[in-house]
Amino acid sequence: MPKLIDYPAASFMKAMELANAVEYLGGSCTIQSCADRLGKKVSGGFGMLISSAIKFNLVTRKGEELKSTQLYKNIKLAYNEEEKNENLRSSFFSPRLFSNLYDRFKGRELPISMLPKLLIREFNVDEEAGSRISGYFVEGLRYLNLLDGNKLMDINNGRTSVVEEIDTVEENTSAPILNQDTNVIPVIPQQAQEVLSLNNSVYTIHLKGPGMDSKITISEEEDFLILEAMVKKIKRKMNELGKE
């Protein structure tokens, strides 16, 4: 089956830092103001951080504006540590990949050393992102005290509603935040079949060819970074085939 790329490009803690900055600025601010608060430049890397905070359901984005989600406010306004931890877990498991990993290994030993390969082979994570995504998952579990040694704790509460708030992300028609060298998406090789469909401002791109059958959702400008990485991977494979 085609793989749907639905995992964060930054750690949960980094996403929380960005959400904290948005809340500090009144719960709603421009991308530039948020970057200034964090001492960062508005770039492709910062765009990936924003994308990750969105995937963790901590902020939403409409055009150039970022806004705290209700889930983030629930974390900050929790009456006690138990309520705060429940909401933190809901945020961390918002990305479908992380939720699926938890459901598979809860109450069992997490194969940390093999996790990157497992993500690539069984969860269809891109080969170049396997180690990084594995690190984000394990780091987040430890931050939330969900690992007892290597055993993934089975938490029955706080996960009945993984995603509490979904906001439609509007197409950004203002100045792009990608680096100049990533503004233009390369032409996809003929070996790849690209199918675009529009559904509530969300595009799905289907890349299909030898050894590849992937679907990438494009709901914000930063998702093009993932698309470009996949296209570069296709180009490398075609160059290798051309040398044979």
Side-chain angles (χ1 to χ4, degrees):
M1 295 178 61
K3 62 181 180 182
L4 185 66
I5 296 180
D6 184 23
Y7 43 80
S11 70
F12 183 59
M13 285 69 79
K14 291 293 184 182
M16 280 295 298
E17 289 179 5
L18 183 139
N20 289 337
V22 173
E23 187 67 14
Y24 178 86
L25 294 169
S28 179
C29 66
T30 64
I31 290 176
Q32 185 63 62
S33 296
C34 183
D36 292 342
R37 171 65 186 170
L38 293 172
K40 297 182 179 295
K41 294 182 179 180
V42 178
S43 64
F46 189 66
M48 294 177 72
L49 177 57
I50 293 174
S51 175
S52 299
I54 292 172
K55 285 181 171 62
F56 284 123
N57 198 18
L58 294 169
V59 302
T60 60
R61 174 184 174 183
K62 292 184 179 180
E64 289 295 296
E65 181 184 25
L66 301 176
K67 185 178 180 180
S68 302
T69 62
Q70 184 59 51
L71 178 56
Y72 175 83
K73 294 182 184 298
N74 291 344
I75 294 171
K76 286 300 179 181
L77 300 176
Y79 287 129
N80 51 52
E81 284 300 308
E82 181 179 359
E83 182 183 353
K84 179 179 180 180
N85 288 334
E86 288 179 2
N87 287 301
L88 282 169
R89 289 194 292 268
S90 291
S91 174
F92 181 68
F93 291 117
S94 289
R96 187 176 305 171
L97 173 64
F98 285 7
S99 179
N100 288 343
L101 279 172
Y102 176 83
D103 289 337
R104 173 165 177 175
F105 291 106
K106 62 184 178 181
R108 301 167 51 193
E109 292 288 318
L110 184 68
I112 294 178
S113 61
M114 294 179 57
L115 194 55
K117 294 181 179 179
L118 184 144
L119 289 176
I120 296 168
R121 293 183 58 178
E122 299 186 34
F123 287 88
N124 291 324
V125 171
D126 185 67
E127 187 173 347
E128 296 180 354
S131 295
R132 178 166 50 85
I133 302 305
S134 171
Y136 293 157
F137 184 66
V138 173
E139 181 183 38
L141 291 175
R142 287 175 175 157
Y143 174 74
L144 297 173
N145 295 316
L146 292 177
L147 280 181
D148 182 8
N150 286 347
K151 185 177 181 180
L152 182 54
M153 296 175 61
D154 187 353
I155 304 298
N156 293 320
N157 58 347
R159 298 197 61 251
T160 55
S161 178
V162 172
V163 179
E164 298 182 5
E165 176 183 347
I166 300 177
D167 288 86
T168 300
V169 180
E170 296 181 352
E171 183 179 0
N172 179 17
T173 57
S174 54
I177 64 174
L178 298 178
N179 291 327
Q180 291 183 353
D181 59 350
T182 61
N183 280 339
V184 179
I185 304 300
V187 176
I188 296 178
Q190 293 181 353
Q191 279 189 314
Q193 176 184 356
E194 179 177 347
V195 180
L196 296 177
S197 62
L198 177 61
N199 182 15
N200 294 331
S201 299
V202 176
Y203 289 86
T204 299
I205 298 177
H206 188 185
L207 299 175
K208 187 175 182 180
M212 174 177 292
D213 191 355
S214 306
K215 280 189 176 181
I216 306 172
T217 57
I218 303 292
S219 61
E220 56 201 47
E221 190 170 0
E222 294 74 36
D223 291 333
F224 282 102
L225 295 172
I226 299 175
L227 174 59
E228 182 179 346
M230 297 291 289
V231 171
K232 287 181 179 179
K233 181 178 179 180
I234 294 172
K235 283 189 173 183
R236 284 199 302 271
K237 287 186 176 181
M238 293 190 70
N239 288 336
E240 291 173 358
L241 290 173
K243 294 178 181 179
E244 294 180 356

